[in-house]
Amino acid sequence: QHSICCRILLGSTPPHNTTVLLSVPDDVLLWKFHMFRSTVLRAANKFGRTTHSPSTLNHFKPVQMPSRGLAAAAVEYPVLWGTSMKALVKEKPAEGLILSDVPKPAIGPNDVLIKVSKAAICGTDVHIYNWDQWAATHVPTPMTIGHEYVGTIADMGKEVKGMKIGQRVTGEGHITCGHCRNCKGGRTHLCPNTVGVGVNRPGAFAEYISIPATNVFKLPDPIVTDDCASFMDALGNAVHTALSFDLIGEDVLITGAGPIGRYRESRCVNQQNLPV
């Protein structure tokens, strides 16, 4: 944990100075310190006023936590040497992709190997193809990209339960650590150790992809077609947003008429009969 020390002046004379030690967990994003500082100052104002000497809160230098998936933090994932599959790879830090032969991914006891049948192009993939500033900061090379897909289970680890070979599935593209404060509290979407499929670890623009079983979602036949399942990431985003608020009797403004915006429109109009 990081400890932040500040002085709160409880009275008008120095003897009433009190030092408060604030303990901040490692997984708090300290680079957003200005938000934290404002909260502390508001609390302090209930008791008195704060001092702003160079040794106190006003001049605290926040620790710069590494952003998720820094390009420099490349990790090698296990593969089956002696095997081969086709994959679209960002081979070097420059514009473009190449179709390459790479080894098939290996699986651990809690992993699932998926044979990809269809994949979709996300805006993230376009960023990586163009190699803009965001991609150069976050994506290590070489990297097999892609994170929206559907396929069937080709193999799975011995500890995987409730799934079977040949089952049609898709996968959630954010791999979380499972042991940080947020993960253990059920807030996995806030995990500071999140790894992105096709961004920080090998992705789905390949014949096979390996991901943890906890990220695999079974698809009922034939309710969800392969065409829809291949961009389940975007569809799920839209549906989740539309269901997050009580919209009955409301007018809805959707800005942006891309795929996610159109999915939200469809959900609002067809399911809740709302003016959009």
Side-chain angles (χ1 to χ4, degrees), residues 41-243:
L41 293 179
R42 284 196 299 271
N45 286 335
K46 293 182 179 180
F47 303 99
R49 51 193 179 84
T50 60
T51 61
H52 299 296
S53 63
S55 61
T56 57
L57 181 65
N58 193 50
H59 293 271
F60 177 79
K61 300 297 183 182
V63 177
Q64 292 293 329
M65 300 295 286
S67 63
R68 297 178 181 182
L70 282 178
V75 176
E76 290 188 8
Y77 289 88
V79 298
L80 298 173
W81 295 107
T83 64
S84 179
M85 67 174 183
K86 297 292 185 183
L88 272 177
V89 179
K90 169 64 74 171
E91 185 181 38
K92 56 186 179 180
E95 183 180 355
L97 298 168
I98 66 166
L99 183 63
S100 179
D101 290 308
V102 300
K104 291 181 181 179
I107 58 171
N110 297 298
D111 296 334
V112 172
L113 182 68
I114 300 173
K115 181 176 175 58
V116 179
S117 54
K118 285 191 176 182
I121 299 173
C122 175
T124 300
D125 303 317
V126 178
H127 285 293
I128 298 174
Y129 177 89
N130 292 330
W131 201 246
D132 58 17
Q133 184 177 2
W134 176 88
T137 303
H138 291 81
V139 183
T141 56
M143 175 61 65
T144 299
I145 73 167
H147 59 272
E148 298 182 11
Y149 61 95
V150 61
T152 55
I153 296 178
D155 197 3
M156 54 188 182
K158 62 182 180 179
E159 300 296 329
V160 177
K161 308 298 181 184
M163 300 179 188
K164 59 184 180 181
I165 304 297
Q167 197 165 36
R168 202 165 62 105
V169 294
T170 186
E172 212 288 319
H174 301 88
I175 312 297
T176 55
C177 71
H179 59 75
C180 71
R181 182 184 183 187
N182 287 329
C183 284
K184 289 187 174 182
R187 300 180 296 274
T188 55
H189 61 294
L190 299 177
C191 174
N193 306 310
T194 298
V195 174
V197 172
V199 177
N200 314 121
R201 61 178 282 158
F205 287 176
E207 295 182 68
Y208 293 90
I209 179 174
S210 170
I211 62 171
T214 51
N215 283 65
V216 176
F217 289 85
K218 296 177 285 187
L219 298 171
D221 292 315
I223 298 175
V224 181
T225 66
D226 281 358
D227 286 341
C228 288
S230 64
F231 48 81
M232 189 64 73
D233 186 284
L235 180 60
N237 184 314
V239 173
H240 173 75
T241 302
L243 295 178

